[in-house]
Structure formats: structure tokens, C-alpha cells
Amino acid sequence: MTDESHGHMALAFLRLQSWLSPSFPNGAYSYSHGLEWAVEAGHVSDRRSLIDWLEADLCHGSGRNEAIFFSEAYRCVAAGVEDRLPDLAVLAAASRGTAEFVLESAQQSSASLATLRRVWPDRILDIFSDPECPPVLAVLLGARAARERIAIDIALPAFLHSYVANLVSAGVDWCLSVRPTVSSLSRRSSRRSCRAVKSQAKRRSTISVRRA
């Protein structure tokens, strides 16, 4: 490997790290991918249950889908069949199971596309400027990683690590913030009716679903 090719690979990987960084301005930090609801509902309450939730997501849920769409977008570009990206993006967008996930995906993807076009412009991004081609994040980054010639066995694990890291952060934050609230409600239960407690929990769940 020449010094020039080695330098290109190092720069490409640094770019990928920038795109996947928590500080990348796509608003990922403001979404929990449903974890707020899971914590409020009691499905996630500690380290073990959070790990189980994330493992299920990666093996059977949205994480698995994101990995597939990222990989397929990468292969489309690597194989020179970029004309398949719009159909892939439409399929990926249609895989969102709830209105909250649709909003989460659309806002993060649009913000990422805008930043990439300004800072790291590339012709592949023009495909996603078509209104008929939704800028799904996994498809967008998979295609862009292929354009940088970053090996898929490096790009895909990095993408999934970023995906999970954001959920771990959200899960830890919400487990820590909800536990004191639950304990406080328990201590005051003798002074408040059960109906009042349920009413408050319902309001909090509604807010969390809207933010998820």
C-alpha cells in the first residue's frame, strides 16, 4: 500500500467517524428510538433489561433493518448500480413501524444530508435531492461510505456502534431519571389516590411517545 492510498483511507475513516459522532448536527441526541416509552412502561429498568432490549433491536428490530439497508446501499454504489438507491430508500422509509419512527428518521436523515452536502459534497448525494427519494440515514451513509472506499467490514460495525451508543446513552439517562420519580410516587402513595398516580403516569407516557 502506497503512502497516498494509506493517507486516503485514514482520511476517509476520519470522515466516517465525523458522520457517526454524537456531535454530528443531525439531532440524534434528542431521540430515544422508543426507549423512553420502554422505561416508562417498565420494560427497561436496569443494565440487564437494557442489554436485552438492545440485543432484540439489533437481532430482530430496527437495528437489523438499518444494517441491511446500509449494506445494500454500500453494495449498490460499489457495484456501480446507483440507480437502485431510490427504490432502496423508499423501501427503507416504508419499514418504519410507527409515526414517531418516521419523524425521527426523516429529521435525522434530512439534517445529515444537508450537512454532508455543505461540508463533504459528492455526486452520490444528488440522488437524494429527488423528492421521490427519501434521505434515509442508513442508505445515505452506506452509499457515502462506499464512495469513500471504506471497507464494508469497517463501515458497517462503525455505523451500528454509533446506532447502539446513542440508544445506550438514552437508556441510561432515562433509567436514572425515571427511578427517582417512581420512588417518589411510591413514598407519596399513601397521601394520593391511585387514580391520580395513574393519571400522571399516563401524561408522562404520552409525552415520551411524542418525543420518542
Side-chain angles (χ1 to χ4, degrees):
M1 180 182 295
T2 65
D3 290 342
E4 183 179 355
S5 60
H6 185 273
H8 172 81
M9 289 181 59
L11 179 59
F13 186 65
L14 286 174
R15 286 178 175 176
L16 179 64
Q17 287 183 308
S18 297
W19 305 338
L20 299 176
S21 169
S23 62
F24 194 79
N26 64 2
Y29 66 89
S30 62
Y31 294 98
S32 73
H33 206 64
L35 265 173
E36 290 183 25
W37 170 84
V39 172
E40 291 283 1
H43 300 306
V44 175
S45 58
D46 54 19
R47 177 179 178 274
R48 182 68 259 170
S49 57
L50 178 59
I51 291 175
D52 290 343
W53 179 275
L54 296 177
E55 183 177 3
D57 187 89
L58 284 173
C59 294
H60 310 290
S62 297
R64 178 177 181 272
N65 292 343
E66 296 296 283
I68 292 172
F69 292 128
F70 184 98
S71 299
E72 287 303 308
Y74 186 102
R75 293 190 184 101
C76 284
V77 175
V81 288
E82 299 165 1
D83 57 321
R84 297 182 184 176
L85 286 175
D87 289 340
L88 181 63
V90 170
L91 178 62
S95 73
R96 309 309 180 197
T98 67
E100 289 77 18
F101 285 169
V102 170
L103 178 62
E104 176 180 334
S105 174
Q107 291 188 347
Q108 289 187 47
S109 302
S110 297
S112 292
L113 177 59
T115 301
L116 288 173
R117 290 175 70 92
R118 286 196 306 267
V119 184
W120 296 279
D122 187 89
R123 66 173 181 79
I124 201 69
L125 301 177
D126 295 338
I127 294 176
F128 301 97
S129 63
D130 186 340
E132 300 299 321
C133 181
V136 178
L137 189 61
V139 177
L140 177 64
L141 293 182
R144 194 63 183 80
R147 286 286 295 163
E148 292 289 335
R149 300 196 300 276
I150 303 170
I152 185 64
D153 58 352
I154 294 177
L156 180 58
F159 172 74
L160 289 176
H161 179 272
S162 173
Y163 175 89
V164 171
N166 187 62
L167 296 185
V168 168
S169 178
V172 170
D173 288 346
W174 274 88
C175 282
L176 292 177
S177 66
V178 170
R179 277 180 175 176
T181 301
V182 173
S183 299
S184 178
L185 287 173
S186 298
R187 288 194 299 269
R188 296 198 301 260
S189 61
S190 61
R191 299 192 301 272
R192 299 178 60 182
S193 69
C194 185
R195 179 177 298 177
V197 174
K198 289 182 178 179
S199 177
Q200 182 181 18
K202 183 177 180 180
R203 288 197 299 272
R204 287 174 57 83
S205 296
T206 300
I207 293 172
S208 68
V209 168
R210 288 176 178 172
R211 292 184 56 197

